[in-house]
């Protein structure tokens, strides 16, 4: 089970991803030629369902992008479906407590770490992928090892308990949601507020102390660069639909098309 974001993290290399809201396999295929490392197929903030998400997981993988999925609930069904479909990792929004983190681990990780249910499914080539060379237990161990379980830190509860949450066995890292975090702090959108800056730093340091991945979300290449320089191992920049929109807007304004005929 290849996982480009995890392999790069282990080699001490940065990784860059983006969310996908275009929900288009050709768009993912095209992004595979750009040097991007991963995409996050967003079930939380789009209308996409499990069947379409599973197709996009396969498309991203075929394009050489690690397919992460942002699920929309801390529940067994979405967690299991997306892992069985071959997601390289799950981003889980709105987590509040270490109890919820443990609940997630029980759904997402096989025994002895958790209680993930088993079926030969796409993530293990329906029982025929290389990860089965060590039999069913070999597959289970490899799935636990190579599938990232990453709650978001974007609530007051998660921030308050971040050190304990990130240290929990089976939790592989934290994804910072700066927008919801700013709302939780009572300063919507004010990322320059010292309280927001301190919260982001606290999460990054808690992840580093636990030896776990920390992913920051931002809106531009310049911000991504700054976060990499601050020490974030991974940054998710924007949404593919917004990147397309910005590029088209620049094309329109740079082309002079708004002027009259000569
Ligand atoms: C947030 O900023 O709240 C996010 O969830 C980013 O995706
Ligand atoms: Mg959020």
């Amino acid at each position: 089970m290849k996982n480009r974001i995890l392999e790069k993290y282990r080699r001490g290399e940065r990784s860059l991803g983006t969310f996908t809201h275009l929900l288009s396999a050709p768009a993912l295929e095209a992004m595979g030629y750009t040097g991007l490392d991963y995409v996050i197929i967003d079930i939380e903030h789009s209308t996409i369902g499990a069947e379409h998400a599973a197709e996009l997981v396969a498309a991203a993988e075929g394009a050489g992008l690690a397919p992460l999925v942002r699920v929309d609930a801390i529940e067994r069904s979405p967690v299991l479906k997306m892992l069985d479909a071959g997601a390289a990792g799950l981003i889980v929004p709105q987590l509040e407590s270490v109890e919820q983190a443990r609940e997630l681990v029980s759904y997402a990780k096989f025994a002895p770490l958790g209680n993930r249910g088993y079926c030969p499914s796409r993530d293990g080539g329906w029982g025929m992928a290389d990860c089965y060379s060590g039999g069913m237990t070999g597959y289970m161990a490899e799935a636990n090892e190579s599938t990232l379980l990453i709650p978001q830190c974007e609530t007051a509860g998660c921030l308050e308990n971040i050190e304990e949450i990130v240290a929990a066995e089976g939790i592989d890292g934290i994804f910072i949601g700066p927008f919801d975090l700013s709302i939780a702090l009572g300063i919507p959108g004010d990322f320059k507020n010292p309280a927001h800056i301190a919260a982001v730093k606290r999460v990054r340091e808690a992840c580093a102390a636990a030896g776990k991945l920390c992913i920051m979300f931002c809106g531009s290449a310049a911000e991504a660069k700054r976060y990499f320089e601050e020490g974030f191992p991974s940054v998710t920049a924007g949404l593919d639909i917004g990147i397309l929109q910005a590029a088209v807007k620049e094309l329109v304004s740079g082309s002079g098309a708004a002027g009259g005929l000569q």
Side-chain angles (χ1 to χ4, degrees):
M1 293 179 190
K2 279 184 67 61
N3 187 336
R4 183 162 159 162
I5 178 171
L6 181 60
E7 285 160 14
K8 285 189 118 180
Y9 177 61
R10 288 191 175 142
R11 291 198 302 263
E13 293 170 18
R14 297 167 176 173
S15 61
L16 182 70
T18 191
F19 277 97
T20 180
H21 275 199
L22 281 169
L23 311 180
S24 149
L28 294 180
E29 194 180 350
M31 281 193 276
Y33 290 95
T34 63
L36 197 72
D37 295 303
Y38 62 92
V39 285
I40 305 176
I41 298 153
D42 193 4
I43 292 181
E44 185 199 18
H45 281 297
S46 77
T47 54
I48 192 172
E51 286 173 38
H52 193 178
E55 282 167 19
L56 295 176
V57 165
E61 202 178 287
L65 300 164
L68 305 186
V69 176
R70 176 157 71 178
V71 294
D72 60 351
I74 302 172
E75 286 172 9
R76 183 172 185 271
S77 176
V79 166
L80 201 56
K81 276 193 206 306
M82 289 301 109
L83 291 178
D84 284 352
L90 300 181
I91 307 293
V92 186
Q94 297 292 321
L95 183 121
E96 292 270 4
S97 67
V98 72
E99 289 75 23
Q100 283 180 313
R102 292 201 187 105
E103 184 184 344
L104 257 182
V105 172
S106 80
Y107 301 144
K109 301 283 180 176
F110 286 114
L113 264 185
N115 195 26
R116 176 175 164 188
Y118 173 81
C119 177
S121 47
R122 185 181 175 275
D123 69 325
W126 293 273
M128 291 197 183
D130 289 350
C131 55
Y132 271 93
S133 59
M136 186 174 154
T137 50
Y139 154 75
M140 288 163 65
E142 194 168 331
N144 277 359
E145 177 81 358
S146 65
T147 305
L148 292 168
L149 183 58
I150 304 188
Q152 285 194 240
C153 184
E154 57 176 1
T155 65
C158 188
L159 182 62
E160 201 177 307
N161 299 301
I162 190 64
E163 289 78 12
E164 209 187 341
I165 288 170
V166 73
E169 213 185 352
I171 296 295
D172 299 301
I174 295 289
F175 182 105
I176 301 178
F179 286 97
D180 282 318
L181 185 61
S182 72
I183 295 171
L185 292 168
I187 45 167
D190 185 2
F191 300 162
K192 295 208 166 109
N193 191 298
H196 199 275
I197 293 170
V200 168
K201 183 166 178 274
R202 177 174 170 185
V203 180
R204 179 170 54 73
E205 288 178 350
C207 291
K212 298 195 178 167
L213 188 61
C214 194
I215 309 178
M216 183 63 190
F217 178 72
C218 71
S220 69
E223 286 171 44
K225 191 160 191 274
R226 183 165 58 76
Y227 285 123
F228 279 132
E229 284 166 2
E230 277 180 20
F232 280 92
S234 185
V235 177
T236 302
L239 304 173
D240 56 4
I241 201 162
I243 294 168
L244 176 68
Q245 192 180 33
V248 174
K249 193 169 176 193
E250 196 181 310
L251 175 71
V252 171
S253 63
S255 71
L261 294 179
Q262 301 289 355

